Amino acid sequence: MRPAALFLLIVVLTAASTAPAHLPDHERQQIAELAQRYLQHRADKVTNSPQVAGFGVPTTDALAAGLRDDERKLRARNASYSSFPGGGYSRAAVSTTLRRLHVDPDGSVVAHVREVTELHFARTGSVTHSTFSITTVLVFDRTATGWVLAAAIRPPGTKCGLPAETQFCGHLTER
């Protein structure tokens, strides 16, 4: 093989091996559904609705430990909201949009998710709910049983001013 052709073959093969991997549509949908479920369950933790342990999605052991602490803090936050004039929140309505997905070389998926959450007051007056919008980065790992949530973090460079009711300023579990 001629040196120029060999060089071109090496360049093409190298470029192909570093090209980002893509997820099939059905896996993108699975990631979107897991993100929605996680953020909905997280928002439900600050409402007066019946509480279910966990965050509704499979997680890594490392993340599960941090989420147990979050769950305790969210229950405490919910209890304090119940004493407010609005009586706390009766329900949460969460909508999510996948803004960007990236498949890392190790096979994990980094999902930038835009969340818009309405927290509806238990006692309504002229104002029926509070709304916030926040972007979260969720990292999913593929296992033999399917996708598991491995991390939930703030996008790099974000400032934490007044966090949404369902978040903590110093947190969102780092990977």
Side-chain angles (χ1 to χ4, degrees), residues 22-32 98 101:
H22 298 283
L23 282 180
D25 287 342
H26 74 279
E27 287 189 316
R28 289 178 66 88
Q29 184 62 34
Q30 288 172 353
I31 296 293
L98 282 180
L101 280 181

Side-chain angles (χ1 to χ4, degrees), residues 44-89:
D44 287 342
K45 301 288 181 194
V46 297
T47 70
N48 299 333
S49 61
Q51 298 296 308
V52 177
F55 286 85
V57 298
T59 63
T60 62
D61 291 341
L63 180 61
L67 290 179
R68 280 191 294 275
D69 187 48
D70 276 6
E71 193 166 25
R72 181 187 54 73
K73 290 176 182 176
L74 289 168
R75 271 196 305 269
R77 187 170 280 178
N78 180 32
S80 72
Y81 288 159
S82 296
S83 65
F84 289 170
Y89 299 112

Side-chain angles (χ1 to χ4, degrees), residues 36-50:
Q36 168 67 35
R37 194 172 335 134
Y38 167 72
L39 292 168
Q40 179 66 56
H41 277 255
R42 187 170 191 92
D44 287 342
K45 301 288 181 194
V46 297
T47 70
N48 299 333
S49 61

